[in-house]
Each structure stands twice: as structure tokens, then as C-alpha cells.
Amino acid sequence: MKQIIVCIVVVLSLLSTSCITNKDVVYLQDKGTIVDDSLQIKALATPYRVQINDILSVSIKSTDSELKKLVEVFQPTEQVANTTGNQSLYFNGFTVDLHGNIEFPILDKVNVLGFTTDEIEEKVKEALLDKYLKDISKIFVTVKLAGLRYTITGEVGGGGVLTLFQDRVNIIEALANGGDILPTGDRKDVLVIRQYPNGQKIHHIDLTDVAAMKSPYYYIQPNDMILVKPLKRKALGAGQTATQTFTTIASIFSVLISTYFLAKNL
């Protein structure tokens, strides 16, 4: 009987600490890491620099009727039947190749690796001025990323490869778009795998701390992978709430008592 009591005490100790609390699931809590009570945190506005495999949308327009026909030559003309959304962007956008170039109509190759979209706009304008135009004051060039593509996997409601058509997306928005983190997911150590010219790096961010808004990984970048690990307590098989945990304890207790009396009567 003493052995059963010891087992029960151990089980109770483990399961009593295994409930998932508000501290585990609430985003951006004030943990004393931010001094300002107003929590006015300036977002890191570092401009994104284009990388290999990015897809760019380049638009050239003109208000001059004489230049409109020339401008049309620079627009992508390839149309693929039955393609919409992301598929259309894939076929009609400009993909950055392994050498950091995009194949532009008539202008041939333009190197864009490591440049911001604003800088690429200026490069296209300069190329037009150098080869075809005497005055670019009536030419308007717009360069945008053809959607912010990223991957979510792990303890999330949906996940997969997703695309948002926004210039800036924070990690909480990205997770919400993928079904959000499940109650059994570890919000205190979310992994962000980011692509760099020399390879990939793994970064960690605690989304339960409001200080995460100051992290360089709070705003995601194209081709980011977001991995959500399961909480360690999930492996114990305990419930997510106090009621579920109590039910588990009661079931274990019932099995132990039944086993004891069965063994005693044999």
C-alpha cells in the first residue's frame, strides 16, 4: 500500500504542475522588460533586401502618350491559362535567379540581389535612361515583392506554405493567418529560420513577452520558416485545463487502487 501511495504522490506532483496557464498562452505580456508604462515600442523598420528566389512585381507606366507604346514593351506578356493569385505571380513576376538577377524585357538582366525595392526602382530607371529614354521624368516605375511567402509548421492550427500580400507582416499576424498556435504550443520559444546570402540561421523569440516587439525577428521576411515546438508537459499526457488534469489523476488513482486490491486477493 505504501508503494501505491508513493506512486500517487509522484503522479499528483507531476500533473499538478502540468496545467496550461494564462502565462503560457497570452501574447506580449508585460514581464518588466519594458520600462515605459505606455508600451510605445518603435517597430524596427529595417528595409528588406531582395534575396535569391524572391519574386518581384515590376510595373512601368507613363503619362506621355508617345511613350506608352514603348512602356508596353517592358511589361510581362506571358499569360498562362487557368492561373490566378499566387500562380499568376509565379508565371508573370520576375524571379531572382541564383546569380541575383532578374530577366527584364529588352533591358536584359538587372542585378537586384541585396537591394531594396526603392533601390531597384532607381536601377530600372537608370537602365531605361541609359538605353532608351532621354528623359525619365514622365516614367513611373514601381517595384514590389509579389507577396510575402513564408512557412509555418509545428503546434499550430493550420500551417503550411502561406502568402500574404502586404509589405510588412509581424509574426503574430503570420501565425494567426496559419491558424494560430495551439494551447499545447510553446509560445516562449518560437523558432524563426531565416534565409541569408550565406545560408540559413535559427533565431528564437518569446512571444509571451512584450519585449518581442523590439526583436529583429518580430517582423517576418520572405521565405521565413516559423516552427512552433510542443510544450514539454504535453509529453506527460496531462490535460490542458485543471478539469482535464483532475480527470487524468482520478483515472490513474482508480487503476492503482483496483490493481492493489486485485493483487491482494490473489
Side-chain angles (χ1 to χ4, degrees):
M1 189 63 180
K2 290 182 178 180
Q3 293 178 344
I4 293 180
I5 294 175
V6 171
C7 290
I8 293 173
V9 171
V10 172
V11 171
L12 288 173
S13 300
L14 289 173
L15 297 182
S16 62
T17 58
S18 63
C19 294
I20 297 174
T21 64
N22 282 343
K23 291 183 178 180
D24 296 316
V25 297
V26 176
Y27 289 115
L28 306 179
Q29 302 168 51
D30 183 4
K31 297 185 176 182
T33 50
I34 302 298
V35 177
D36 188 359
D37 291 337
S38 65
L39 300 180
Q40 293 179 352
I41 303 172
K42 293 182 179 179
L44 298 177
T46 304
Y48 175 71
R49 296 190 175 275
V50 170
Q51 300 181 42
I52 293 170
N53 294 327
D54 282 349
I55 300 177
L56 300 179
S57 171
V58 182
S59 173
I60 302 177
K61 297 180 181 179
S62 175
T63 57
D64 192 324
S65 58
E66 294 182 0
L67 293 176
K68 285 185 178 180
K69 290 184 179 181
L70 177 61
V71 168
E72 289 176 359
V73 177
F74 295 93
Q75 303 306 318
T77 57
E78 181 182 5
Q79 298 293 331
V80 180
N82 301 322
T83 59
T84 58
N86 295 342
Q87 292 180 343
S88 177
L89 289 171
Y90 175 79
F91 287 108
N92 296 322
F94 299 93
T95 302
V96 182
D97 64 23
L98 295 176
H99 302 288
N101 301 319
I102 57 174
E103 192 78 26
F104 211 81
I106 298 182
L107 290 180
D108 198 21
K109 293 183 179 180
V110 177
N111 187 269
V112 297
L113 183 63
F115 292 94
T116 65
T117 53
D118 289 340
E119 292 170 342
I120 296 171
E121 288 177 3
E122 292 302 318
K123 291 193 71 172
V124 173
K125 288 180 181 179
E126 291 174 3
L128 288 170
L129 181 62
D130 181 53
K131 292 186 178 183
Y132 297 101
L133 306 175
K134 294 181 179 180
D135 182 12
I136 60 171
S137 61
K138 297 180 180 181
I139 292 290
F140 301 92
V141 179
T142 303
V143 178
K144 289 182 175 292
L145 286 167
L148 202 159
R149 183 174 178 271
Y150 63 99
T151 302
I152 293 182
T153 187
E155 290 291 300
V156 292
V161 180
L162 307 171
T163 302
L164 285 172
F165 297 99
Q166 298 173 217
D167 291 332
R168 280 157 53 90
V169 177
N170 66 52
I171 191 170
I172 294 179
E173 291 173 322
L175 287 165
N177 188 50
D180 206 358
I181 300 177
L182 297 174
T184 52
D186 188 355
R187 288 166 172 78
K188 295 181 180 179
D189 188 22
V190 176
L191 306 184
V192 177
I193 302 177
R194 181 156 294 175
Q195 178 177 302
Y196 296 94
N198 59 344
Q200 293 181 322
K201 293 182 181 179
I202 299 177
H203 307 287
H204 301 257
I205 182 169
D206 180 359
L207 294 182
T208 65
D209 192 339
V210 70
M213 297 176 68
K214 298 174 65 177
S215 168
Y217 318 113
Y218 183 69
Y219 283 92
I220 69 170
Q221 295 185 3
N223 304 312
D224 274 357
M225 292 182 62
I226 303 172
L227 275 64
V228 181
K229 302 182 296 183
L231 291 167
K232 292 181 179 179
R233 65 197 64 182
K234 181 181 179 182
L236 295 174
Q240 298 178 19
T241 64
T243 301
Q244 292 175 352
T245 301
F246 177 78
T247 302
T248 302
I249 293 173
S251 299
I252 295 174
F253 181 79
S254 176
V255 170
L256 290 174
I257 292 297
S258 298
T259 302
Y260 170 75
F261 284 107
L262 181 62
K264 185 177 180 181
N265 294 329
L266 291 177

